[in-house]
Amino acid sequence: MAVPCGAALAGSVLPAATGAALRRCGAGLSGRSPWKPLLFLLSPPAFSTTCARCAKDRRLRRKRAISERQLTRYFVDQRKVRVVGGQGGGGGQSFYSEPRKVFGGPDGGNGGDGGHVILKADQQMKSLSSVYPFYQGFHGERGGSKNCYGANGAHMYVKVPVGTLVKEDGRVVADLTQHGEEYIAAYGGAGGKGNRFFLSNENRAPKLFTPGEPGQERVLHLELRTTAHAGLVGFPNAGKSSLLRAISRAKPAVAAYPFTTLNPHVGIVHYQDYEQVAVADIPGLIKGAHQNRGLGMAFLKHIERCRFLLYVVDLSVPQPWVQLQDLKYELEEYEKGLSERPCVVIGNKIDLAQSKINLPLLREHVAERVIALSALTGDNLEELLLHLRELYDTYVKTEQSRGQSPVKW
């Protein structure tokens, strides 16, 4: 029997005599009574989960916006991790015995192997903040009687972002650049041998068994390098974050002071044929960044994974081509050939009067293509999006010609 909700009862009309009788009977009822369900119907609950009109509002709350200062605590691009493989289970020592077969011989099984510690690249992970400083694989179980082997220890999987470098003593031992790629950071120990393993013609009743071996122990340094198709490179306050907000749904912090962006942000540019181009907003560089001035090394390492570069210069400053020369110099000093990657020069803040005067001068001093736009007003963003797609298509064809798969988002 279906019970109506409170709204349905409120809209229905009960006979006055029936309602009054039920209330009079309810006043003197005590203990268990068949009238109590009817009295509950006369006083419905405040809400009902079965009626659309009375159900609670179950809409999900909007995600709270995180400021750049709070994001700095959550975004971690390097981590020191100690990994230990699981210990192998010890071998068993037992002898088979049953009625009419007293001397059945040894039947102690081998122990199980210890579990590995495995690093696995995952696209859902964006930072190393969730990586703990210590991981250990599960231990193997001890061998049992009746030649029963111990169970192997389960592997410990550690999810890391795509683009994580694994270093040991300053040497790169793994580079996780693809989703689902795995690296065994520490092997588990082998299981011990039971006394059944040592049975021979010379020794028919061995009592010898071996314990499990300890797991491998290593200290690794994890370093995250943002993987994106294009990288926005420029000095502080050039308008990189504003440009990323204009062409994608990313929301980096924007303010009128330098070094507003303290961490790399990745925005996705969507096209009508469902292709997606990832653009990374690299925090502003300064002169001497290759010498680790400021946070130079922490910013420059994120540019290494970018397939092509977008140099953002401020057209309103005197001699904006000097900015481009300084940026290329810093990139080349950090890594040879980094400044020679496919690129385009973006002249930002074209809405200002001084920028319109400096634009023809910039094109005279620069051999690369110059796209003048305004990230604030959105002027000439279409030209940038079209050229960005041309750079992406060229990158895809180059990777396919080499027999490699291009990075997809």
Side-chain angles (χ1 to χ4, degrees), residues 184-198:
I184 301 179
Y187 286 91
K193 302 298 183 182
N195 64 338
R196 179 71 174 81
F197 178 81
F198 298 98

Side-chain angles (χ1 to χ4, degrees), residues 113-145:
D113 298 333
H116 308 325
V117 179
I118 303 176
L119 303 179
K120 186 174 183 179
D122 190 354
Q123 285 183 348
Q124 301 299 325
M125 305 294 293
K126 304 302 180 183
S127 171
L128 294 174
S129 58
S130 60
V131 177
Y132 294 109
F134 176 76
Y135 287 97
Q136 185 174 17
F138 293 92
H139 301 318
E141 295 185 3
R142 185 180 183 84
S145 60

Side-chain angles (χ1 to χ4, degrees), residues 286-293 296-297 300 329-330 333-334:
I286 61 174
K287 292 183 179 181
H290 68 279
Q291 300 174 352
N292 204 21
R293 291 183 181 176
M297 292 297 184
L300 285 170
Y329 174 78
E330 296 296 334
E333 290 295 322
Y334 176 73

Side-chain angles (χ1 to χ4, degrees), residues 20-30 39:
L22 287 175
R23 293 188 181 91
R24 286 196 301 271
C25 294
L29 288 177
S30 62
L39 291 175

